[in-house]
């Protein structure tokens, strides 16, 4: 097949039967549940774009592995152009859905594994790389989506995995069998786990000798027996479930806690098992790719916020107000700096021994630190321009109530000649862009906590050459 349409993607999810709980109840129908459907629609946009004439060349690539056209979301980068395309696609998707499209996490796992499995094989003579390539071909052939099972629940943060009172707080191997392994644990904040066909599990941190059972990477269908998805709360979830005051299809992102209750993984799906020193390598590669991805989609989200602020200026009659124009400039330069940093990480990329291209880690992490701070500033500027109704706009139900609706619309009129309905809709969008908890919190914690980005910059930067340059200029060293 190689490339699915959005309709085929939805049908393919309907054929899956994952174990899902939400609000204390077991759910059978994932695709038609409005809370989950919002996220599925956002991932659906990655299929939709591949069907559109103007984006087809960017979204679709010929796979040398299966000799068929494939969606780039299943294509580890084989050149600088491929690295750049990742950022461009994410920006377009960020603009289109105004939230997380949920498909980059799985792609970033595929990219990390396509580098690290090769390196493990070189050191140990294992066969993870050819095994992984078979999995990659399977993903390409079916145009499947994967999510990233990286973040363990972690228990006491001051203790390493093997010192935890309950070792299950880090996912680990509990049994080795001739045909495969059995794993137990839980992965938190699993973006789009139910919009995905496969879950790719990687370790969450560096590990030491003695922690071999935690050094495990694998992929499984998201409806494998023993995998339980528990969908968490989000600030705006009841609106989706009630079908009211949402405003758009992609309303809010969902990130379940996914429990692995003694789950069997066949050997052909195991990509690391016991090689502790490669755990950190996998986390670092995944996180760097993922931080680069964020630079694309979050600059696209600032584009939405700047667009919403500009529309509000039109509707409120503040188009000519000087400080509003300044604030739009401040939003745009934040988007472009984020995008630029993420593009720079791509242009400074290099080829790894497996043949796959890797980005510049320091630039990717600099981009993520910038995002963590500046997305909040962009939100603040958008709210400043829009006004207080971002906080407490009446419900659609009040606007359509016969008694109070006409009165509300009279009092919600803005600039002369502007239909109040447009103003109301734009306020609703701005409220969502500012307050959708999962997406705004991912600006800070997505792809690792801010301190992780900072430590990566310290570890990966060439400090010596900087010191030498300063000493030369000071006349201390030649
Ligand atoms: C919306 C959203 C979507 C996400 N999507 C995914 C996903 O799809 N897949 C996935 O695998 N993960 C996902 N994540 C998880 C994300 O990577 C983590 O939230 C992030 O790594 C932080 O981990 P934590 O939430 O456990 O917080 P913690 O690690 O507990 O961090 C909280 C604070 O404590 C500090 N801290 C913790 N431990 C230590 C220590 N030992 N020493 C010093 N400081 C410490 C941190 O720096 C931070 O300041 C997502 C997160 C969010 C919020």
């Amino acid at each position: 097949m190689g490339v699915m349409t959005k309709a085929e993607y939805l049908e393919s999810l309907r054929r899956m039967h994952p174990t899902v709980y939400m609000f204390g109840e077991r759910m059978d129908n994932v695709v038609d549940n409005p809370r989950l459907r919002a996220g599925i629609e956002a991932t659906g946009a990655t299929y939709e774009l591949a069907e559109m004439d103007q984006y087809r060349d960017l979204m679709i690539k010929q796979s040398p592995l299966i000799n068929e056209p494939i969606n780039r979301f299943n294509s580890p980068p084989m050149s600088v152009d491929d690295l750049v395309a990742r950022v461009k696609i994410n920006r377009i998707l960020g603009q289109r859905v105004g939230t997380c499209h949920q498909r980059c996490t799985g792609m970033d796992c595929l990219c990390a594994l396509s580098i690290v499995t090769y390196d493990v094989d070189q050191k140990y003579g294992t066969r993870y790389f050819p095994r992984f390539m078979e999995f990659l071909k399977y993903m390409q052939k079916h145009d499947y989506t994967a999510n990233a099972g990286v973040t363990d629940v972690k228990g006491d943060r001051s203790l390493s995995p093997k010192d935890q009172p309950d070792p299950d707080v880090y996912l680990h191997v509990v049994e080795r069998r001739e045909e495969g392994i059995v794993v137990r644990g839980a992965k938190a904040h699993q973006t789009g786990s139910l919009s995905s066909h496969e879950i790719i599990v990687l370790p969450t941190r560096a590990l030491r000798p003695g922690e071999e059972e935690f050094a495990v990477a694998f992929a499984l269908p998201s409806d494998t027996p023993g995998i339980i998805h528990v969908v968490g709360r989000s600030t705006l979830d009841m609106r989706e479930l009630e079908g009211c005051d949402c405003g758009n299809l992609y309303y809010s992102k969902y990130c379940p806690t996914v429990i692995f209750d003694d789950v069997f993984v066949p050997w052909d799906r195991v990509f690391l098992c016991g090689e502790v020193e490669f755990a950190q390598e996998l986390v670092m590669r995944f996180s760097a790719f993922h931080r680069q991805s964020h630079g694309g989609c979050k600059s696209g989200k600032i584009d939405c916020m700047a667009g919403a602020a500009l529309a509000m200026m039109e509707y409120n009659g503040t188009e000519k107000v000087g400080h509003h124009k300044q604030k739009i400039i401040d939003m745009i330069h934040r988007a472009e700096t984020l995008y630029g940093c993420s593009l720079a990480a791509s242009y400074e990329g290099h080829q790894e021994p497996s043949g796959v291209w890797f980005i510049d880690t320091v630039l990717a992490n600099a981009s993520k630190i910038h995002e963590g701070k500046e997305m909040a500033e962009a939100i603040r500027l958008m709210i400043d321009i829009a006004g207080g109704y971002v906080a407490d706009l009446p419900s659609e139900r009040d606007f359509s109530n016969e008694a109070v609706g006409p009165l509300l619309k009279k009092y919600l009129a803005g600039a002369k000649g502007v239909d109040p309905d447009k103003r109301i809709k734009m306020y609703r969008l701005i409220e969502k862009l500012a307050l959708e908890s999962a997406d705004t919190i991912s600006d800070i914690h997505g792809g690792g906590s801010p301190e992780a980005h900072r430590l990566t910059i310290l570890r990966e930067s060439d400090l010596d050459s900087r010191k030498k340059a300063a000493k030369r200029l000071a006349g201390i060293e030649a």
Side-chain angles (χ1 to χ4, degrees):
M1 182 191 288
V3 181
M4 271 203 272
T5 63
K6 182 183 160 196
E8 287 165 341
Y9 162 65
L10 294 177
E11 280 317 301
S12 68
L13 289 184
R14 281 186 202 287
R15 290 193 291 274
M16 301 194 75
H17 300 286
T19 306
V20 187
Y21 287 84
M22 187 162 72
F23 294 115
E25 283 178 16
R26 177 112 185 228
M27 284 175 51
D28 290 328
N29 185 343
V30 164
V31 177
D32 297 312
N33 179 285
R35 165 106 180 88
L36 302 175
R37 181 60 176 259
I40 291 170
E41 285 289 338
T43 303
T46 69
Y47 292 90
E48 207 170 33
L49 243 57
E51 293 177 64
M52 294 165 71
D53 287 343
Q54 77 245 56
Y55 299 123
R56 196 170 291 129
D57 287 347
L58 186 60
M59 294 297 295
I60 295 178
K61 223 196 123 179
Q62 185 71 13
S63 163
L65 280 180
I66 63 167
N67 284 322
E68 280 178 48
I70 56 162
N71 192 303
R72 273 194 191 265
F73 277 97
N74 282 325
S75 175
M78 299 307 288
S79 64
V80 163
D81 285 350
D82 286 351
L83 289 171
V84 170
R86 286 166 45 92
V87 184
K88 294 195 168 179
I89 289 171
N90 277 321
R91 185 165 191 176
I92 293 164
L93 281 163
Q95 288 167 355
R96 190 167 174 84
V97 301
T99 180
C100 169
H101 65 75
Q102 310 192 340
R103 202 175 174 188
C104 69
T105 61
M107 169 178 69
D108 297 335
C109 287
L110 293 175
C111 295
L113 283 165
S114 66
I115 292 173
V116 179
T117 51
Y118 183 89
D119 295 346
V120 184
D121 287 0
Q122 295 309 299
K123 179 159 182 191
Y124 287 107
T126 42
R127 304 275 304 150
Y128 293 124
F129 183 68
R131 206 183 262 178
F132 169 72
M133 292 312 267
E134 287 307 309
F135 173 67
L136 183 61
K137 282 188 206 166
Y138 165 82
M139 291 294 289
Q140 292 187 345
K141 202 143 197 83
H142 295 277
D143 197 6
Y144 279 161
T145 288
N147 84 278
V150 180
T151 308
D152 284 304
V153 287
K154 299 192 295 235
D156 183 337
R157 271 62 176 159
S158 70
L159 300 176
S160 62
K162 75 173 167 37
D163 296 330
Q164 297 283 341
D166 179 354
D168 297 348
V169 295
Y170 283 86
L171 187 139
H172 62 125
V173 179
V174 289
E175 193 187 335
R176 281 172 183 254
R177 297 181 189 160
E178 206 172 309
E179 326 79 67
I181 54 176
V182 177
V183 297
R184 187 186 302 156
K187 295 284 183 179
H189 322 294
Q190 295 299 286
T191 300
S193 65
L194 296 158
S195 314
S196 304
H197 308 88
E198 295 277 336
I199 300 181
I200 302 177
V201 168
L202 307 182
T204 198
R205 56 175 286 167
L207 296 167
R208 291 174 300 176
E211 295 180 323
E212 283 74 11
E213 76 258 40
F214 302 97
V216 61
F218 59 86
L220 282 176
S222 51
D223 60 353
T224 302
I227 295 183
I228 305 165
H229 307 248
V230 184
V231 183
R233 295 302 309 255
S234 162
T235 36
L236 304 171
D237 53 15
M238 290 315 289
R239 301 184 190 201
E240 285 163 339
L241 292 171
E242 289 174 359
C244 188
D245 301 326
C246 291
N248 70 48
L249 269 182
Y250 319 105
Y251 202 52
S252 76
K253 157 179 174 146
Y254 69 89
C255 313
T257 298
V258 178
I259 299 166
F260 291 74
D261 193 18
D262 289 1
V263 178
F264 175 71
V265 191
W267 283 118
D268 64 347
R269 289 302 197 91
V270 178
F271 309 130
L272 186 79
C273 193
E275 296 80 3
V276 275
E277 71 275 34
F278 286 98
Q280 179 176 9
E281 192 64 14
L282 264 176
V283 181
M284 186 277 281
R285 303 278 185 177
F286 163 77
S287 312
F289 275 122
H290 196 48
R291 291 162 195 172
Q292 178 227 24
S293 294
H294 267 239
C297 68
K298 298 291 180 172
S299 52
K301 187 168 171 188
I302 302 181
D303 294 336
C304 291
M305 294 198 278
L310 283 162
M312 219 60 223
M313 286 160 65
E314 180 188 328
Y315 300 157
N316 285 351
T318 61
E319 264 176 314
K320 297 202 170 79
V321 169
H323 75 92
H324 278 193
K325 287 188 205 160
Q326 289 299 332
K327 280 166 185 153
I328 295 292
I329 296 170
D330 287 346
M331 292 173 84
I332 292 175
H333 89 64
R334 282 179 167 83
E336 298 307 329
T337 314
L338 187 54
Y339 184 56
C341 209
S342 195
L343 282 178
S346 316
Y347 285 115
E348 292 289 304
H350 63 269
Q351 195 172 23
E352 291 289 330
S354 73
V356 169
W357 280 67
F358 186 54
I359 44 169
D360 182 289
T361 322
V362 174
L363 284 165
N365 278 274
S367 162
K368 188 67 183 63
I369 291 181
H370 184 70
E371 172 197 334
K373 292 181 177 167
E374 302 303 341
M375 289 299 290
E377 182 60 6
I379 290 171
R380 188 186 72 77
L381 294 165
M382 172 184 68
I383 293 174
D384 180 341
I385 291 171
Y389 264 127
V390 180
D392 48 19
L393 189 73
S395 165
E396 274 167 29
R397 290 183 186 153
D398 292 313
F399 288 118
S400 49
N401 176 289
E402 275 179 27
V404 78
L407 277 173
L408 281 173
K409 288 196 182 172
K410 165 181 154 71
Y411 289 114
L412 267 141
K416 190 167 173 235
V418 171
D419 177 353
D421 279 339
K422 290 185 181 167
R423 194 162 172 255
I424 290 164
K425 282 185 178 165
M426 198 51 70
Y427 267 126
R428 193 61 82 205
L429 175 67
I430 292 175
E431 181 198 19
K432 172 223 139 74
L433 290 169
L435 299 175
E436 181 200 341
S437 57
D439 203 43
T440 50
I441 291 169
S442 82
D443 299 342
I444 299 167
H445 274 300
S449 63
E451 201 52 23
H453 314 146
R454 297 165 64 82
L455 288 175
T456 311
I457 286 184
L458 191 67
R459 195 182 56 235
E460 300 288 323
S461 293
D462 182 353
L463 302 179
D464 271 353
S465 73
R466 289 172 165 83
K467 200 157 56 171
K468 274 191 189 133
K471 286 185 180 172
R472 189 183 70 79
L473 286 175
I476 297 167
E477 278 179 10

